[in-house]
Amino acid sequence: MEYLPIFLDVKGRKVIVDGGETSAARRVERALDAGAEVHVFAEELGEEFRPFRDHPSLVHHTRPPAERDFVSAIVAYGTTEDPDRDARLYDLANDMRVLANVADNLPYCDFITPSIIDRSPIVIAISSGGNAPIIGRILKARIEAILPAAYGHLAAWIGTLRDRVMAVIDSPEGRRAFWESAIDGPVADQFLAGNLDGARDRFEDALEAARAGDSPANVGEVYLVGAGPGDPDLLTFRALHLMQRADVVLYDRLLGRGILNLVRRDAERIYVGKKAKDHTMAQEDISALMVRLAKEGKRVLRLKGGDPFIFGRGGEELETLADANIPFQIVPGITAASGCASYAGIPLTHRDHAQSCVFTTAHGRDGVIALDWEMLTKPQQTVAIYMGLGSLELLVDKFKEHGTHHDMPIAVIDKGTRQDQTVVTGTLLDIIEKVKQAELSGPSLVLIGTVVTLSDRLNWFAPGQADMHEMTIHAQTGL
Ligand code: SAH
């Protein structure tokens, strides 16, 4: 190891920053965050200083730093990119035994500044020993992506509970086991999901169990997670996080392999199917299965295409869980209409075309469409129809019947956002024939409205590099 990694206490200590531009601003900001008294030397301070220009611990000098400024300083940063001035800063600092760091100039560095992931009080610092800071920055992005934003708050909250656990559990091993199961279990889960009351209750239950000498009650949890329309890059951070925690995953047909591969490798996978006509497992059975698995203490991931609350029966599944008193959390996903529209270059609203957008489905409980055609055929709106491919002819007829001109643009987006996406655009007059020729296999989304005409100019997505894509995901997340 070339450098000694330490976290320096600079509270109330003097930190010198020479320069007034971007890199000076970053260093000033960080030093102020850590409680230092910061002296910045620059004729003028750039725009990026605005948020903390009036900070009580910031002192601005319009002259260059002089020897006397280094008295009782702890570190000094050079950021001016003026070689003479940087060299002078380094010499002064050395003479005065102050640790110096000149940006992008390794010979003038007594220490180097790491890339930081700040989840205070948890701070992760990454250094490449000055060899390749860009690698540090890339690693930072990866870690940022897999570490929930609330982790720092979790650490701070746990800090407030340590004494109570200490009073109940004598042995260090016992305390470690307690905290492991709390942090890798429902207490932290509830906290990270934003449910502080739930987290407190779980903590009290676990502590009570420890006091009584029991192992903590083993109740699992269900994560209802929207996985988006197919491109794994469209997952949310929280989705990815819960996918990595699950013991068992229930998934259906809409999910691509790319997404399933991001679920924890040793999680059990259960296919619960569901095609429009051929239900592999009845809805009640899926719900009952989730309840049973959760009661066994498992963390059950119910992974859904798109958003669980948009034509996803998420509500129905949760009602069963709520009735059975199983804890759950829901993660929204990008719904097909939104994903398909973006990846086909069709804005769902546009000031010249559509002031509203309707999401509807052509597939009712018993297969019959009973839609409000008057509402759907209003001008200046976009209609997104889920599960509409099989009824496309009927849809087109109904639109015409209710007065929509046969020139009305319409798009059918098949396997939207995926590497085998197909976009078929046309009008009410010719879409049936075009779709027939394209031999689409679904899932397909139908979009009706004049916004469809923008696709020619705004279509940016070039499908077809499936393998490359999946590799990128794994490289980005390290999963
Ligand atoms: N909960 C999902 C929708 C489930 S209903 C969501 O929010 O997206 C299933 C229908 O969604 C399909 O019949 C199709 O109309 C649409 N759909 C889902 N994924 C799609 C995709 N990748 N491309 C096109 N349509 C899709």
Side-chain angles (χ1 to χ4, degrees), residues 229 254 305-307 310-312 335-336 340 385-387 413-416 418 443-445:
L254 278 179
D307 182 279
I310 296 183
F311 308 122
T335 190
C340 292
I385 302 165
Y386 289 68
M387 294 172 269
I413 300 142
D414 190 69
K415 303 184 199 68
R418 303 185 190 179
S444 296
L445 185 96

